[in-house]
Amino acid sequence: MRTQTTKLLSVVLILCLVFSLSACGSTDKTASKSEGTVKEIGVGNGKHGDIKVEVTFADGKITNVDVLEQKENEVLAEPVYTQLKDSVIQANSATVDAISGSTATSKGYLEAIQDAITKSGLTLAAVTAVGSSKSKEETEQTFDVVVIGAGGAGFSSAIEVKKAGASVVILEKMPTVGGNTLISGGEMNAPNTWVQQSLGIKDDTPELFYQDTLKGGDNLGKPEMVKILAEQALASAEWLRDEIKVEFLPDHLFQFGGHSRKRALIPVGHTGAELIKKLKAKTDELQIPVKTSMKAEKLLTDANGRVNAVEATSKDGQKITFHANKGVVIATGGFGSNVEMRKKYNPVLDESYMSTDTPGTTGDGIVMAQEIKAGITNMENIQTYPICNPKTGVISLVADSRFDGAILINQGGQRFVEELERRDVISKAILAQEGKYAYQLWNQRIADIGKTIEAHQDEYDQLVKDGLLYKANTIEEAAEFFKIDPKTLQNTVNKVNAYAKTGKDLDFKHRSGLVSLEQGPYYIQKAVPSVHHTMGGLVIDKDTRVLDESGKIIAGLYAAGEVTGVVHGANRLGGNAIADIITFGRISGQTITK
Ligand code: ADP
């Protein structure tokens, strides 16, 4: 209160110096401050900490908002600091709708602006609603290729199209690009990479990767598609590194569940943001238009049944037809956020499950393609990710310490599954425990290997704040925090320590060998499974052409990424999504321009 009053007084004083004394003498605050420019700083709480803005007021109106400090996800924050800023200026108010898909950042940003407004002491002039200042879109637009969905698959496809000399547009229904790719851990499997070589892993091959992937999906993936994935993953990784300039950690790999080798490259920052940021930069460099808030609604065909256009709706409700001379690529991702669709194909995964997915993941591409008789497969195979936030359903990236040796225990303080098992197996095992949750336990030694806490400090801080993660000096302290019997937990840890020494996990055969938990401090985190990846989707051939219900090619229609259903079978192995979307995204762009 004191600070606010002082601040207010100083603003008034400054105004007195800047403007005429007679105005300062006025009792009407709006009038007194509306005759010149005032700048005020405000702070709000975003998704990753404070957002600090400087708001400029002139003549009772907000004329500018500059962001001074923030730690938000660059891709998700972009429309907040541009589109939402425009809305605030236009409405002359901080009471405007948040950017969908970036709600937490929007909230913090608007809070900061409101804070500045309050501190300024100004009464802002009411404005009458004005139409969008954005120029209207042409209602008929023509490109060689129309790509639907700005995730990893869509970007990869569009870049290849443009590189081949054809024109291309990307339609994205959300205000932000990136889809699930953006919020994923971003790790990517590939055999024989430069990182494997530098770590001395010399015995990995495309064949081994193929076998792991096929087996990991209970042999329900199409062998010829899995073969392409396994054989081209290295080229895809090199393309990301060399063409797109994605930076991967040079000296660390993850071994996700179901893989017989450590083969997952890790992007810097340990999230898909590195991939999306660089893919978006490449599309900008190539001048590929990306139309956000543009929802594809319908595929149009010519008299011969060839797909030749997409009907879309803009944010303002404008209907636009995007004609495609060469064809359309569906890269709309999965349907993890569509509860009704989940229930239609697998009734178990109803609303009692949260999802790790972005809100745009609603299966639109599958539905649109089905309307023109596209074939679908594996739809009932929906994967839950085992270690997610019990409050939000969001995937825990801090808990990637599991790939460096963290163990899983139940409320009874006992291990119940091999920690590097497949996601579906671990999820099922967790759901079979009392309370349908688990705890992940690791120590500083494990934390120092992958540095997942440093990589995801904001997630860590939030988990601690919510009482879902606790750092303890002793096992006893860790147990007591979550009301686990300390003796049982100590016994479990003693066994783990013994198995770590011999290299033989006699209970669950931990495939990469357990790590000793003798030394603290310890981290213990509560987790639940949450819907993560939909393995089913459109049937495509090896050139990514969409096939109809009878297996015939639908001319002009291509698909790549999570929207397709032929690669992962019953279960997708960790690190295989990025390998899939980049590989087949690129193939779609190359095939369509041949
Ligand atoms: P993938 O990993 O296969 O690339 P992502 O989930 O990363 O999939 O990206 C899919 C993108 O497609 C998301 O950004 C999503 O919002 C977008 N999308 C989904 N449905 C539509 C639609 N009807 N029109 C335009 N974009 C869509």
Side-chain angles (χ1 to χ4, degrees):
M1 195 67 213
R2 233 183 108 90
T3 354
Q4 272 212 355
T5 319
T6 322
K7 198 98 186 233
L8 188 59
L9 275 173
S10 45
V11 171
V12 174
L13 270 172
I14 291 164
L15 279 168
C16 284
L17 292 172
V18 176
F19 310 121
S20 76
L21 272 169
S22 59
C24 287
S26 163
T27 50
D28 179 352
K29 257 191 186 169
T30 316
S32 73
K33 293 198 172 182
S34 65
E35 286 173 31
T37 301
V38 178
K39 286 180 191 281
E40 188 57 80
I41 287 173
V43 181
N45 192 242
K47 185 156 192 221
H48 301 282
D50 283 349
I51 300 177
K52 194 177 194 182
V53 299
E54 183 182 67
V55 182
T56 309
F57 305 92
D59 301 324
K61 285 199 179 139
I62 299 172
T63 56
N64 191 30
V65 182
D66 281 330
V67 177
L68 303 180
E69 280 171 29
Q70 60 91 41
K71 291 189 258 172
E72 302 302 286
N73 176 312
E74 204 177 308
V75 182
L76 293 179
E78 198 266 338
V80 175
Y81 302 154
T82 53
Q83 292 172 34
L84 195 58
K85 171 181 166 176
D86 289 348
S87 307
V88 165
I89 292 173
Q90 221 177 47
N92 201 32
S93 161
T95 315
V96 293
D97 288 344
I99 299 280
S100 137
S102 304
T103 36
T105 305
S106 300
K107 192 181 132 284
Y109 180 70
L110 294 173
E111 225 173 74
I113 296 172
Q114 186 55 55
D115 184 39
I117 297 171
T118 309
K119 283 178 184 160
S120 76
L122 291 168
T123 305
L124 297 180
V127 288
T128 40
V130 280
S132 165
S133 62
K134 258 184 147 183
S135 59
K136 292 264 183 220
E137 287 271 355
E138 291 288 331
T139 51
E140 304 279 330
Q141 303 186 29
T142 304
F143 295 86
D144 289 327
V145 178
V146 176
V147 174
I148 313 173
F155 275 124
S156 303
S157 177
I159 290 168
E160 289 294 353
V161 170
K162 192 68 197 259
K163 284 252 159 181
S167 67
V168 57
V169 65
I170 306 180
L171 313 182
E172 169 55 56
K173 75 171 170 181
M174 302 299 286
T176 47
V177 299
N180 277 348
T181 310
L182 175 72
I183 56 161
S184 73
E187 291 89 6
M188 171 182 192
N189 292 312
N192 281 330
T193 57
W194 61 100
V195 183
Q196 278 189 335
Q197 280 162 27
S198 81
L199 294 178
I201 302 168
K202 296 203 172 76
D203 58 349
D204 199 11
T205 59
E207 180 58 25
L208 263 183
F209 180 28
Y210 165 78
Q211 294 294 349
D212 286 348
T213 302
L214 203 60
K215 186 167 161 237
D218 292 339
N219 297 307
L220 288 178
K222 267 201 177 155
E224 72 261 32
M225 299 302 280
V226 181
K227 196 131 237 161
I228 294 171
L229 174 80
E231 284 172 355
Q232 298 203 14
L234 177 60
S236 302
E238 288 171 346
W239 180 77
L240 280 178
R241 183 194 63 185
D242 301 336
E243 278 276 316
I244 309 300
K245 310 289 178 218
V246 168
E247 281 182 59
F248 293 102
L249 301 184
D251 51 3
H252 193 49
L253 295 168
F254 276 158
Q255 181 172 1
F256 284 109
H259 288 278
S260 59
R261 297 290 181 280
K262 265 191 189 203
R263 57 167 75 102
L265 295 161
I266 306 167
V268 294
H270 293 237
T271 79
E274 167 69 7
L275 275 71
I276 291 297
K277 227 165 53 189
K278 301 283 171 69
L279 286 164
K280 175 71 170 56
K282 192 71 182 179
T283 55
D284 289 347
E285 181 194 318
L286 294 172
Q287 299 182 330
I288 297 170
V290 181
K291 311 247 179 220
T292 49
S293 301
M294 185 68 75
K295 183 176 184 227
E297 309 265 13
K298 197 172 177 318
L299 300 168
L300 305 181
T301 51
D302 66 13
N304 301 320
R306 182 185 176 86
V307 176
N308 64 357
V310 177
E311 220 172 68
T313 311
S314 76
K315 191 180 164 195
D316 308 331
Q318 218 189 333
K319 292 265 176 250
I320 298 161
T321 306
F322 290 92
H323 299 275
N325 294 331
K326 289 180 187 292
V328 170
V329 179
I330 304 181
T332 48
F335 58 96
S337 293
N338 186 337
V339 179
E340 287 312 311
M341 197 159 165
R342 264 162 38 190
K343 286 201 291 191
K344 177 172 170 189
Y345 294 105
N346 188 337
V348 173
L349 294 161
D350 60 12
E351 36 280 285
S352 63
Y353 284 83
M354 291 181 284
S355 173
T356 64
D357 293 359
T358 49
T361 316
T362 47
D364 301 8
I366 297 172
V367 175
M368 271 188 279
Q370 274 188 295
E371 280 165 9
I372 57 164
K373 303 270 178 280
I376 52 171
T377 185
N378 281 319
M379 292 299 283
E380 67 287 9
N381 296 326
I382 298 174
Q383 177 179 80
T384 52
Y385 189 85
I387 312 296
C388 300
N389 186 316
K391 230 174 108 178
T392 61
V394 170
I395 193 165
S396 172
L397 297 175
V398 165
D400 278 350
S401 54
R402 184 163 57 93
F403 309 115
D404 295 316
I407 61 164
L408 293 174
I409 51 163
N410 57 20
Q411 187 62 50
Q414 277 159 338
R415 284 176 75 212
F416 55 90
V417 69
E418 192 233 332
E419 288 79 359
L420 292 187
E421 249 298 0
R422 285 166 28 171
R423 293 169 176 181
D424 56 338
V425 177
I426 299 180
S427 296
K428 226 170 160 182
I430 293 175
L431 295 174
Q433 305 306 306
E434 178 196 338
K436 299 187 176 180
Y437 57 80
Y439 298 106
Q440 185 165 307
L441 176 76
W442 68 105
N443 65 355
Q444 195 59 47
R445 180 173 162 191
I446 293 170
D448 288 341
I449 304 173
K451 299 201 169 16
T452 62
I453 295 173
E454 287 89 333
H456 308 288
Q457 190 67 48
D458 49 297
E459 185 204 336
Y460 176 84
D461 293 342
Q462 193 61 45
L463 287 167
V464 171
K465 204 164 140 196
D466 291 342
L468 296 168
L469 191 153
Y470 185 70
K471 184 175 181 180
N473 285 322
T474 61
I475 289 293
E476 194 181 0
E477 201 192 320
E480 274 166 3
F481 185 79
F482 284 117
K483 301 190 168 45
I484 301 167
D485 176 46
K487 278 211 182 89
T488 320
L489 186 57
Q490 189 61 60
N491 284 341
T492 302
V493 169
N494 291 347
K495 269 208 244 175
V496 167
N497 294 343
Y499 298 158
K501 276 203 186 92
T502 60
K504 278 208 175 88
D505 170 11
L506 298 181
D507 292 334
F508 296 101
K509 300 194 173 52
H510 194 282
R511 70 196 68 193
S512 76
L514 288 160
V515 177
S516 169
L517 293 170
E518 255 162 327
Q519 290 289 319
Y522 298 94
Y523 301 88
I524 186 162
Q525 177 182 350
K526 190 171 180 179
V528 296
S530 179
V531 168
H532 184 52
H533 189 99
T534 47
M535 271 72 67
L538 300 174
V539 180
I540 54 167
D541 68 7
K542 58 185 183 24
D543 295 321
T544 71
R545 295 174 196 276
V546 177
L547 306 183
D548 71 10
E549 289 157 351
S550 60
K552 285 209 299 283
I553 289 170
I554 300 179
L557 191 60
Y558 302 75
E562 195 178 342
V563 71
T564 66
V566 286
V567 179
H568 306 290
N571 170 62
R572 175 178 68 75
L573 295 185
N576 271 2
I578 304 292
D580 169 11
I581 64 176
I582 304 298
T583 301
F584 289 104
R586 290 186 68 205
I587 291 175
S588 69
Q590 290 160 357
T591 315
I592 206 166
T593 47
K594 258 183 202 155

